[in-house]
Amino acid sequence: MEATQRQVAGYLGPRIRRIRRGLDMSQENLADNAGIHRTQISLIEHGEQLPRIDTLIRLAGGLGVAPCELLGGIFWEVGGSRPGKLVVTGEAGDD
């Protein structure tokens, strides 16, 4: 993974884990709800894998939230005369 992908994965994974735990849901339940393998849930939650957009949508559905709730606080800031940059607000997993 490149640096930008690692930064997003490091923010997104803990957020998914926090929401799942807040629902008192196991990784196995989320995997069943989202139609993906439990091992993939673990890799994503630990920031070791960045989900594809379709997987992100499945995870959001499995958690009963909108995909934008998972991505809140992650955006691209246009740099004007310089290249843009990824901006992640808050701490990993925080709202």
Side-chain angles (χ1 to χ4, degrees):
M1 258 190 289
E2 68 169 64
T4 300
Q5 291 171 324
R6 279 193 303 275
Q7 187 179 4
V8 173
Y11 180 81
L12 184 61
R15 175 171 273 201
I16 291 169
R17 181 174 51 243
R18 181 188 51 77
I19 292 170
R20 177 183 58 76
R21 287 180 174 171
L23 296 169
D24 197 29
M25 181 185 293
S26 69
Q27 287 183 347
E28 192 70 42
N29 291 137
L30 177 54
D32 289 344
N33 290 349
I36 60 177
H37 198 276
R38 191 211 52 83
T39 304
Q40 189 174 11
I41 303 279
S42 179
L43 290 170
I44 291 167
E45 286 187 355
H46 287 92
E48 296 173 22
Q49 185 178 65
L50 187 61
R52 295 182 332 197
I53 190 68
D54 61 316
T55 303
L56 183 74
I57 292 167
R58 287 173 170 232
L59 287 168
L63 292 167
V65 300
C68 62
E69 188 171 332
L70 300 181
L71 295 172
I74 303 172
F75 60 95
W76 187 259
E77 184 177 85
V78 178
S81 62
R82 57 181 166 57
K85 65 178 181 174
L86 180 73
V87 176
V88 177
T89 60
E91 295 297 317
D94 285 349
D95 286 324

